[in-house]
Amino acid sequence: MTAQDTGPESADVVVVGGGPSGCAAAVFTARYGLDTVVFDRGNAAFRRCAYLENYLGFPAGIGVDTFTALVHEHLAEVGADYVADMVVSVERPGDEGEAADASESESDAFDADARRFVVRTQEGRRVEADCVVAAAWYDGDYLRGLDDDDAMFEERDHHGEVHEHFDSDYADDGRTPVEGLYVAAPSGERNAQVGIAAGQGGHVARCLIEDRRRERGFPGDLARHYDWLRADTEFQGEWGDRDRWREWFDGEVPADADLDDEHLAELRESYIDRAFDTRRTDHEVEAAEPRGIRRLVETIGTERVLDALPDEALADYLDGRELGGVEQ
C-alpha cells in the first residue's frame, strides 16, 4: 500500500505503530466505523523475523514482506489510512496554545466537551484525535507530558547505566489513567510473538470501542462490541422480529442504569440496527469467500501463485482454462 502524501487533519483514532498489534487494533476500530489512521515508520520488531512460521492460517509459513502487504491491504479494505511517517509527540489541546476542536466526527463520538489529542509527526503532519493507541514497541517518548508525574516511565539499570523506559505495566488491560489513551505496545510478553501481538491489538481496540459506547450511554454488558457476522438462519423465527430484540435488550439493562426513556430508546434501536447489519444470507456468504481468496491472490501476485503450483497442477489448470474458453 502506498503511503499518503498528507495525513488527515482529524480522526477518531490515531494508532502509533504499524506492526501486528497496531494494525490489528486499526482493523477493529475502522470496521466499527471510527475514522482511523495508522502512523508507521516501518521498523516494527517483527521485521527482524527471517520468516514467519507460527502465524495461524499459514501452514507452511509466510514471508514477512508478503505478510506485511496483506496487512496493509486489510487496512485499505476496512477504510483505515496507513501513513509512512513517525509520530514525534502527542499532546492535549491547550499545550503550547493549541486550540481544541471538540466537534464530533462520528455518531458514536465522545462528549463534545472532551479534549482531543494533537498528534505531530516527523514530516510536519498535525492530526487531532479523540483516541490514541500506542502500538510502537521501540519507546514511548512521544507520549511524554501526557501524564503529569511521568508515571508511564520507569528507570532501569543497563550495564551499569540508568535509562528511562516506558513502563509496559502502565496500561491496565490496554487502558491508561489518561482518558482516551490506550497502549497495545509495549506490553511486555503480549508483544513477544506476532500472533499474540495481533490479538493484543484487537483486544485493546475492543476496550476502546467499549469505552466509547459507555460514553454514549450503553449500560452494563451492552457496551461490549463483538465484531461477528451472523448467518441468516440466526434471524429466523422470533429473532427475526425487532420486538423480540427490544425485549431482550431491556432485559440486559441494569436496574441502576440512569437513562431517560428517550435516550434508552435511541440506544436500543441503534443496538438492534447494528445486530441486523451483521446478517448475511447464504448467497452473500457464498460470494464472500471467492472475493476473499481473489484479494489474497491479487496481493500476493498471480504469477507467484502460479509459480507455486506443481508443474502437473499448473498444466491441468491451463488445460481446464483453455477448454473453458472453447466451451464458452
Side-chain angles (χ1 to χ4, degrees):
M1 180 179 178
T2 303
Q4 297 181 356
D5 292 332
T6 58
E9 296 181 355
S10 180
D12 295 315
V13 180
V14 164
V15 179
V16 184
S21 58
C23 289
V27 166
F28 273 79
T29 57
R31 280 179 56 83
Y32 183 71
L34 301 177
D35 293 330
T36 302
V37 57
V38 178
F39 285 110
D40 178 33
R41 74 174 185 178
N43 68 337
F46 87 97
R47 288 183 177 275
R48 293 158 52 191
C49 173
Y51 187 74
L52 186 57
E53 289 191 325
N54 63 357
Y55 198 89
L56 187 65
F58 297 97
I62 185 169
V64 171
D65 289 342
T66 302
F67 179 80
T68 300
L70 290 168
V71 166
H72 289 177
E73 283 301 318
H74 202 162
L75 292 177
E77 176 73 15
V78 299
D81 293 313
Y82 173 83
V83 181
D85 194 359
M86 184 176 74
V87 170
V88 295
S89 69
V90 178
E91 307 160 353
R92 279 290 196 185
D95 294 344
E96 299 179 4
E98 291 290 349
D101 176 7
S103 61
E104 294 187 359
S105 56
E106 183 259 358
S107 60
D108 288 345
F110 279 141
D111 182 83
D113 292 330
R115 295 184 304 162
R116 308 188 86 200
F117 293 98
V118 175
V119 180
R120 297 181 184 278
T121 73
Q122 195 171 55
E123 296 183 10
R125 294 176 173 88
R126 176 185 177 280
V127 183
E128 294 184 4
D130 294 323
C131 298
V132 170
V133 177
W137 69 275
Y138 47 90
D139 63 45
D141 280 346
Y142 61 94
L143 298 174
R144 285 190 183 277
L146 288 179
D147 195 327
D148 293 337
D149 57 4
D150 261 356
M152 61 178 66
F153 294 92
E154 63 177 356
E155 292 185 346
R156 297 180 191 169
D157 184 88
H158 184 68
H159 299 302
E161 295 184 5
V162 177
H163 299 273
E164 270 198 335
H165 296 269
F166 187 87
D167 184 357
S168 60
D169 293 327
Y170 177 72
D172 180 10
D173 211 23
R175 297 176 173 94
T176 75
V178 180
E179 183 180 0
L181 175 65
Y182 299 80
V183 176
S187 295
E189 290 301 309
R190 284 167 289 181
N191 304 130
Q193 304 269 228
V194 176
I196 298 171
Q200 167 71 359
H203 173 72
V204 171
R206 288 191 67 240
C207 291
L208 183 157
I209 293 168
E210 179 180 341
D211 291 347
R212 288 181 69 96
R213 288 168 65 82
R214 291 196 189 283
E215 286 286 337
R216 188 177 172 191
F218 283 101
D221 291 344
L222 292 168
R224 295 174 181 170
H225 173 69
Y226 298 89
D227 191 347
W228 188 266
L229 299 180
R230 298 176 173 91
D232 189 50
T233 54
E234 293 197 19
F235 291 85
Q236 302 302 314
E238 63 176 345
W239 290 104
D241 185 352
R242 290 181 68 96
D243 283 340
R244 178 64 183 91
W245 281 86
R246 293 184 181 105
E247 178 185 346
W248 173 86
F249 183 96
D250 290 344
E252 295 294 310
V253 176
D256 59 353
D258 186 17
L259 294 167
D260 61 58
D261 291 344
E262 184 177 351
H263 190 195
L264 183 62
E266 183 247 322
L267 294 174
R268 183 191 302 117
E269 296 309 305
S270 174
Y271 189 101
I272 298 171
D273 286 343
R274 276 194 177 271
F276 274 79
D277 282 345
T278 69
R279 184 176 186 171
R280 295 295 183 272
T281 65
D282 290 344
H283 177 73
E284 289 172 323
V285 172
E286 290 172 2
E289 186 167 10
R291 180 177 181 274
I293 294 174
R294 184 167 61 251
R295 288 299 305 274
L296 286 173
V297 172
E298 290 171 351
T299 303
I300 295 172
T302 305
E303 289 186 6
R304 292 178 65 193
V305 173
L306 294 178
D307 287 344
L309 291 174
D311 292 341
E312 298 81 1
L314 180 57
D316 290 343
Y317 165 77
L318 294 174
D319 288 343
R321 188 177 62 177
E322 292 172 1
L323 289 174
V326 171
E327 290 174 355
Q328 291 177 2

